[in-house]
Amino acid sequence: MKLITTLIFALGTLFSLSENPAPVKVNIAESTVTWHASKVTGSHYGKVPISSANLDYADGKITGGTFEMDMKNLTVEDITDAGSNQKLTGHLKSDDFFSVEKFGKSTLKIKNVKSTGGNNYEITGDLTIKGITKPVTFPATVIASNGTITTTAEIKFDRTHYDIKYRSGSYFEDLADKLIYDEVKLDVKLVATP
């Protein structure tokens, strides 16, 4: 009887250990968030630095996590002219867009991770921008190799849901070629080690 009890206890402990996610350290220097936005006359892209991040990892799978973006230091990467670059960067940081003086950080908190086969997942999380939190669901790929876990994801969101309505066709008429599309895309890459 003691042997059976010990065996049950051992199996229970093993099961609970495999189910409990372990936090992994995200390398901020190697991790990136690239934003993409489009308008009638073209598109722009740039970077948003990651200020902090953590991932929960169990049984070779991502099970949760959070990352924080430093909105005050977002950049524009596609404009080479210094004056034009500074103008757009300043405008994105203004109250027309991200209001970075009031809302210096944006975050994504993972709420649910569902395997879609192989290294592919469907992740649902809470995206907070300008103090407004909305759910987002997006595809992600997780690859573990040589002691490194690399997670890549493409997150699309409607900027108007976060009170970013500047030149939105959903709120203003007759914008013609001044219209800026509502959808913004974030390409996320998180590099971590267990």
Side-chain angles (χ1 to χ4, degrees):
M1 187 68 177
K2 282 184 179 180
L3 179 60
I4 294 172
T5 304
T6 303
L7 185 59
I8 290 171
F9 178 76
L11 287 173
T13 302
L14 179 63
F15 180 75
S16 65
L17 285 174
S18 67
E19 288 296 310
N20 289 334
V24 293
K25 183 178 181 181
V26 176
N27 185 327
I28 301 299
E30 292 185 31
S31 302
T32 58
V33 174
T34 305
W35 62 265
H36 302 264
S38 300
K39 55 185 180 177
V40 171
T41 56
S43 61
H44 294 292
Y45 68 89
K47 303 283 188 187
V48 185
I50 298 173
S51 51
S52 67
N54 66 78
L55 290 174
D56 296 327
Y57 191 71
D59 297 330
K61 299 175 184 176
I62 296 294
T63 59
T66 304
F67 68 88
E68 182 179 77
M69 295 168 279
D70 177 7
M71 302 305 291
K72 288 187 176 183
N73 287 300
L74 69 83
T75 62
V76 174
E77 302 289 321
D78 64 294
I79 299 176
T80 55
D81 177 73
S84 299
N85 187 302
Q86 185 177 18
K87 184 177 179 182
L88 178 56
T89 302
H91 196 193
L92 290 173
K93 293 179 180 182
S94 76
D95 289 342
D96 281 342
F97 289 96
F98 293 104
S99 304
V100 301
E101 288 305 316
K102 297 175 196 168
F103 305 100
K105 306 290 183 187
S106 293
T107 61
L108 178 90
K109 182 172 184 179
I110 296 172
K111 306 292 281 187
N112 186 52
V113 181
K114 176 182 167 186
S115 175
T116 56
N119 297 321
N120 300 314
Y121 297 86
E122 181 183 83
I123 296 178
T124 299
D126 287 338
L127 179 62
T128 302
I129 299 173
K130 293 180 73 172
I132 300 167
T133 302
K134 299 284 184 182
V136 289
T137 298
F138 54 91
T141 301
V142 181
I143 297 175
S145 177
N146 299 321
T148 300
I149 302 160
T150 303
T151 303
T152 55
E154 181 181 276
I155 303 170
K156 294 178 181 178
F157 67 92
D158 184 330
R159 66 187 176 97
T160 65
H161 294 173
Y162 300 90
D163 195 31
I164 304 170
K165 300 172 183 172
Y166 183 79
R167 291 189 183 170
S168 165
S170 300
Y171 289 87
F172 303 99
E173 296 179 359
D174 304 321
L175 289 169
D177 63 357
K178 295 185 183 298
L179 183 141
I180 300 171
Y181 296 115
D182 293 341
E183 184 179 88
V184 177
K185 184 177 77 164
L186 301 177
D187 287 328
V188 179
K189 177 184 176 184
L190 298 179
V191 179
T193 51

